[in-house]
Amino acid sequence: MNDNIKPQQCKVVNALDTLLGKWKPIILQHLLAEGTLRFNELRKRMPNITQRMLTLHLRELEEQDLINRVVYPQVPPKVEYSLTEYGKTIEPLMEALHQWGKSHLQHIENVKKSDLTKDEGNKEASIH
Amino acid sequence: MNDNIKPQQCKVVNALDTLLGKWKPIILQHLLAEGTLRFNELRKRMPNITQRMLTLHLRELEEQDLINRVVYPQVPPKVEYSLTEYGKTIEPLMEALHQWGKSHLQHIENVKKSDLTKDEGNKEASIH
DNA sequence: CTGGATCCTTCACGATACTG
DNA sequence: CAGTATCGTGAAGGATCCAG
């Protein structure tokens, strides 16, 4: 729609869009960590998610070819979710996000502390 | 409270939270690319953003210590925004997101194409 | 057990007008 | 020029019930 926007940006936004949704990163982390999980196993690992949201987000991840959905035609139903081979390529990205998120928390802590000791808040440029 | 949830997840979510908001990644990209920009310069580079959202997101980024806001006490007002030294640490992360987003678009393209040629859609597990 | 269908709430974002 | 103040909207998410 707009060429003023650097190509770079679009792709970053795109990455974020496909990884987002309140629960997607968490679902992906669980599948990364544990391989294959059934619907209810995932649910137990995310006590605050509703069935609806779990279903919706799993469908979206499947559509992005990030996860496999395997239905065992039996009763009671059994459905297993796992990362696709392609889906596993997000691991380094998740790791990078994790590292940055971790150090960011640390950084914000430090900033708050030094705000208490040091007189801060004079960010106006001086005019000479 | 819940040890089933891997520590990793929390931090990923945290990273995403502080980088998110519809316009934050774009603002950051512009500042990464161009160094220092005035309010209106940023606005021109994002034709679809409203003043309100630009202001809000800049404030939030400032609060996260990712950008500097320098007010020149003059009339008409002049305010310059730039990344903090700390803010520049997001560059590798943005690059990683960009690369993944790019290859993801590619991948989705390929998947769609092979869905057309190959008969796909039989993902039920066989029962022997 | 998995998950569809409905209804409801909230909040991020947008549109617009005003101001030092 | 660089904001603030208000009001409105839609879409994401939550709660709940039903079904194969």
Side-chain angles (χ1 to χ4, degrees):
Chain A
M1 336 106 240
N2 191 307
D3 284 337
N4 285 340
I5 297 180
K6 300 286 192 301
Q8 260 214 329
Q9 297 155 2
C10 305
K11 308 310 171 48
V12 170
V13 170
N14 186 265
L16 290 174
D17 279 352
T18 103
L19 293 180
L20 254 101
K22 186 169 179 183
W23 302 98
K24 282 184 201 161
I26 308 187
I27 294 172
L28 290 172
Q29 290 279 356
H30 280 292
L31 293 179
L32 266 172
E34 309 202 48
T36 298
L37 290 171
R38 297 181 59 172
F39 186 84
N40 255 7
E41 292 174 329
L42 274 168
R43 203 146 78 97
K44 281 174 196 158
R45 282 159 180 77
M46 293 177 277
N48 296 326
I49 200 174
T50 59
Q51 277 185 342
R52 170 184 149 81
M53 290 316 295
L54 182 52
T55 304
L56 284 179
H57 281 155
L58 285 170
R59 290 294 186 282
E60 287 171 20
L61 290 172
E62 188 191 4
E63 186 142 349
Q64 297 292 306
D65 193 37
L66 290 170
I67 66 174
N68 292 127
R69 176 169 181 270
V70 180
V71 181
Y72 294 84
Q74 67 186 36
V75 41
K78 170 179 172 181
V79 181
E80 286 185 342
Y81 294 93
S82 59
L83 290 179
T84 60
E85 280 311 306
Y86 170 69
K88 292 176 185 168
T89 65
I90 56 157
E91 183 153 25
L93 190 61
M94 296 296 273
E95 181 61 21
L97 283 166
H98 167 62
Q99 289 302 333
W100 190 85
K102 205 171 93 177
S103 67
H104 184 61
L105 280 177
Q106 189 86 57
H107 180 79
I108 294 304
E109 271 305 300
N110 293 339
V111 169
K112 279 181 188 165
K113 281 178 191 164
S114 61
D115 271 9
L116 294 179
T117 55
K118 207 177 68 165
D119 179 31
E120 201 265 344
N122 187 1
K123 283 190 175 173
E124 288 194 354
S126 45
I127 9 171
H128 293 299
Chain B
M1 81 172 229
N2 192 322
D3 284 337
N4 285 340
I5 297 183
K6 300 287 189 301
Q8 262 213 330
Q9 298 155 0
C10 306
K11 309 309 172 49
V12 169
V13 170
N14 186 265
L16 290 173
D17 279 351
T18 103
L19 292 181
L20 254 100
K22 186 169 175 180
W23 303 98
K24 281 183 199 161
I26 308 187
I27 293 172
L28 291 172
Q29 290 278 357
H30 280 293
L31 293 178
L32 267 172
E34 309 202 48
T36 298
L37 290 171
R38 297 180 59 173
F39 185 84
N40 256 3
E41 292 174 329
L42 275 168
R43 201 145 77 97
K44 281 174 197 158
R45 282 159 179 77
M46 293 177 276
N48 297 324
I49 200 175
T50 59
Q51 276 187 341
R52 171 183 150 81
M53 290 316 295
L54 183 52
T55 303
L56 284 178
H57 281 156
L58 285 170
R59 290 291 188 285
E60 287 171 20
L61 290 171
E62 189 191 2
E63 186 142 347
Q64 296 293 307
D65 195 36
L66 290 170
I67 65 174
N68 291 127
R69 177 169 179 269
V70 180
V71 180
Y72 294 84
Q74 67 187 37
V75 40
K78 171 179 171 181
V79 182
E80 287 184 341
Y81 294 92
S82 59
L83 290 179
T84 60
E85 281 311 306
Y86 170 68
K88 291 176 186 168
T89 65
I90 55 156
E91 183 153 25
L93 191 61
M94 296 296 272
E95 181 62 19
L97 283 167
H98 166 62
Q99 289 302 334
W100 190 85
K102 206 170 92 177
S103 67
H104 184 61
L105 281 176
Q106 190 86 57
H107 179 78
I108 294 303
E109 271 305 302
N110 293 340
V111 169
K112 280 182 188 167
K113 281 178 191 164
S114 60
D115 270 9
L116 294 179
T117 55
K118 207 178 68 163
D119 178 32
E120 202 264 343
N122 186 1
K123 283 187 175 173
E124 288 193 354
S126 45
I127 8 171
H128 293 299

